[in-house]
Amino acid sequence: MNTVMVKAQGVRKRFGTTEILKGIDLSVERGSVTCLIGPSGSGKTTFLRCINHLEKVDAGRLYVDQQLIGYTERNGRLHEMKPRQTARSRLNAGMVFQRFNLFPHMTVLENIVEAPIHVLGRSRDEVTAEAHVLLDRVGLGNRGQAYPRELSGGQQQRIAIARALAMKPKLLLFDEPTSALDPELVGEVLDVMKSLAEAGMTMVVVTHELGFAREVSDQIVFMDQGVVVEAGPPSEVLGNPRQERTRAFLSKVL
Ligand SMILES: Nc1ncnc2c1ncn2[C@@H]1O[C@H](COP(=O)(O)OP(=O)(O)OP(=O)(O)O)[C@@H](O)[C@H]1O
């Protein structure tokens, strides 16, 4: 089996006339955790959204599980994916957003089971049984019948993680999953993420939580102004950065 889950080669993305990603090269190994760090506006979220096909890559190639994002290859030529193919390819990755976006009129359980039933066409009984296991996994086994408004922000984010897992994604993408939370609720979400990492989930995490990044990452990627300045294990990128730009950023945030 190929060991690479995400491969980016020269990925470029512009909004209007402004180029936000200026040629990203990056590899994410299957079963590993990669944290993307860097100053505000450096393109971390945009890159994550490209991996999940929420943004279209303008140039370069981006593969998830060896599948080229956004294009299919026929007779040696690349063709843009049709919307249906796009929707299918997006299922490879589950995304957890800063704001949990749970459906307010549905119970916790309904929030988790609706997509597997309606998007994947799976049986309600089977998916409901799995949802209970997922709720236990995020420490909320007894809250299936609650509505999102009855839960704290940290609990809602843990439900959002369970909802993403219910689609059985090949990798999980997290976009600053704790930055909308009260500080005392951050730890409970990070603990769930740590347990997923220990269970071997492939994860790409945009985060400002450098303690978490240091503890959990196999790879830290420092991005600045649309490029990868430095990538490597935490001991190198956080402990002994080679690039002056990395050192300057860390001296401000550590
Ligand atoms: N849909 C869009 N249209 C126009 N500009 C955009 C769009 N999305 C992002 N941008 C711009 O792209 C730049 C990079 O944004 P991005 O959110 O990727 O950065 P980031 O590194 O994740 O920053 P932060 O840490 O603040 O979330 C920003 O200047 C942002 O304003």
Side-chain angles (χ1 to χ4, degrees), residues 50-62:
C50 286
I51 298 175
N52 201 25
H53 211 158
L54 290 168
E55 303 289 353
K56 188 170 158 291
V57 168
D58 293 329
R61 293 189 173 201
L62 186 49

Side-chain angles (χ1 to χ4, degrees), residues 103-250:
F103 296 116
H105 58 289
M106 290 184 186
T107 65
V108 160
L109 199 59
E110 287 164 349
N111 263 281
I112 295 173
V113 300
E114 287 309 304
I117 292 170
H118 296 293
V119 179
L120 302 181
R122 301 189 52 215
S123 90
R124 182 171 291 272
D125 285 352
E126 199 180 73
V127 170
T128 302
E130 286 175 12
H132 285 296
V133 174
L134 289 173
L135 281 172
D136 279 339
R137 201 165 165 189
V138 299
L140 292 167
N142 56 351
R143 302 314 305 272
Q145 297 310 320
Y147 283 88
R149 65 174 176 278
E150 300 171 289
L151 303 178
S152 71
Q155 289 173 327
Q156 290 188 55
Q157 191 60 301
R158 283 147 63 195
I159 299 299
I161 294 172
R163 180 177 59 176
L165 289 170
M167 296 295 280
K168 300 186 190 284
K170 292 176 181 169
L171 82 157
L172 273 186
L173 308 171
F174 292 85
D175 189 9
E176 299 190 28
T178 58
S179 42
L181 300 179
D182 292 338
E184 70 271 20
L185 302 178
V186 167
E188 64 188 53
V189 172
L190 295 182
D191 284 346
V192 168
M193 293 169 67
K194 279 180 210 165
S195 73
L196 293 176
E198 280 160 17
M201 189 77 206
T202 310
M203 305 188 349
V204 182
V205 186
V206 173
T207 186
H208 295 286
E209 296 286 340
L210 293 188
F212 169 84
R214 187 193 298 276
E215 192 182 337
V216 177
S217 304
D218 299 287
Q219 169 175 241
I220 296 209
V221 177
F222 172 63
M223 284 178 62
D224 192 12
Q225 297 180 20
V227 297
V228 172
V229 176
E230 191 162 353
S235 57
E236 285 175 19
V237 178
L238 296 180
N240 189 17
R242 281 174 288 129
Q243 303 294 332
E244 180 49 40
R245 276 157 84 182
T246 317
R247 284 196 286 273
F249 170 74
L250 292 175

